[in-house]
Amino acid sequence: MMARVDGQSSGLWHDPHNNGTYSPTNASSGLGFQRLTGNKKYTDQMLFDFVDSGNSCEISGCSESQVFSIADFSTNYCNLRMLYCGSADGCKPVKFDFTSQETQVDPSPGAGHDQSACLKTSEAQGFLATTSSCPPKDFETVKDFDLDSFISKRWYIQQQMPVKYLPASQNRCVYAEYQLQKKSFWGYDVSVHNHAEEVAAPHTAHDSGKTLCAKVVDKSRGKLEVAPCFLPTALAGPYWVLDYNEAEGYALISGGAPKEAAEGGCRTGTGTNGSGLWIFTRQQKRDEALVQKVRSIAQQKGFDLSVLNDVDQSACNAETSRSAAILSV
């Protein structure tokens, strides 16, 4: 827990739930923390106690909001969970990675305990948005986009937003490849190949094969639409390149404009079309400074960064055959 909290300043860890900021507090026993919400308006207090239990450790904790709220959208539950959840839960440990089993959760009236809410921004929190409108005024994609250069090599995903077809449980060894093709019957110009693996062993791969295609909508502005190749393009979802720099080896991708207001900014949906946010890099090995740079670009464009979760790119076979799956938008 302390490693995660300390890791905020160095970029080793960030709070996946609305990008809050944790800090230690004095506690007579156990560990005490406080968390400032992503919009910098509210502070919650937490206490943890630890007891040896055979070969395990029993953790008990409580979190309390410092303002009155009718519903907390699982915030207090997530305040606690984000400090102990492991990679099998879609979280990013900093020092130790262990599994946990929750045996008892006692929320106060109106409070929730939805695990899935911890790795995304709840739609019900839109009224807390700090952005005046979504998508932000003058929201734009990349300019003078070079499609040939963009699709010339494989992209590795370093951070991504959980969506219906790509849950956080598949945040391992994710990559994407693209290739120009002869325009299909439905008008698709690009074949799409994606790969993702389960975080939990045995790391089952998910395979898109040759089932996904993209149509170029606005080539100079990096706007495409993606869908299964057998569907008409009218049913395809937006795939937009928001920023791209081949020399530095990064790209920022979204499933269209972020139309939904959230506590930390704007975001896309979480369904099939019109959903998703990704940070691409050419190099598979994570470059933290580069990832933080692209996160900053996304934030400047008005995105809620709390939706982004890390992808584990370690212990992957970089030359895995074309056999995997995900990232249709």
Side-chain angles (χ1 to χ4, degrees), residues 25 35 39 42 60 69 83 136 170 206 232 239-240 242:
T25 60
R35 176 183 176 274
N39 63 2
Y42 309 105
S60 59
S69 61
L83 291 180
Q170 296 174 15
H206 296 265
Y239 174 100
W240 290 4
L242 305 180

Side-chain angles (χ1 to χ4, degrees), residues 112-179:
H113 54 95
D114 178 8
Q115 294 184 8
S116 64
C118 298
L119 297 177
K120 63 182 182 180
T121 301
S122 172
E123 294 179 6
Q125 290 178 324
F127 68 93
L128 290 175
T130 56
T131 304
S132 58
S133 63
C134 292
K137 184 180 179 180
D138 300 325
F139 181 83
E140 293 184 328
T141 56
V142 66
K143 296 180 180 179
D144 301 319
F145 180 59
D146 187 340
L147 177 62
D148 292 333
S149 175
F150 179 81
I151 67 174
S152 63
K153 292 180 286 187
R154 178 180 292 181
W155 286 106
Y156 296 96
I157 290 72
Q158 301 296 342
Q159 289 191 334
Q160 61 188 14
M161 173 184 177
V163 291
K164 181 179 180 180
Y165 53 85
L166 184 54
S169 60
Q170 296 174 15
N171 281 2
R172 183 178 189 273
C173 302
V174 185
Y175 66 76
E177 296 174 312
Y178 310 92
Q179 187 174 6

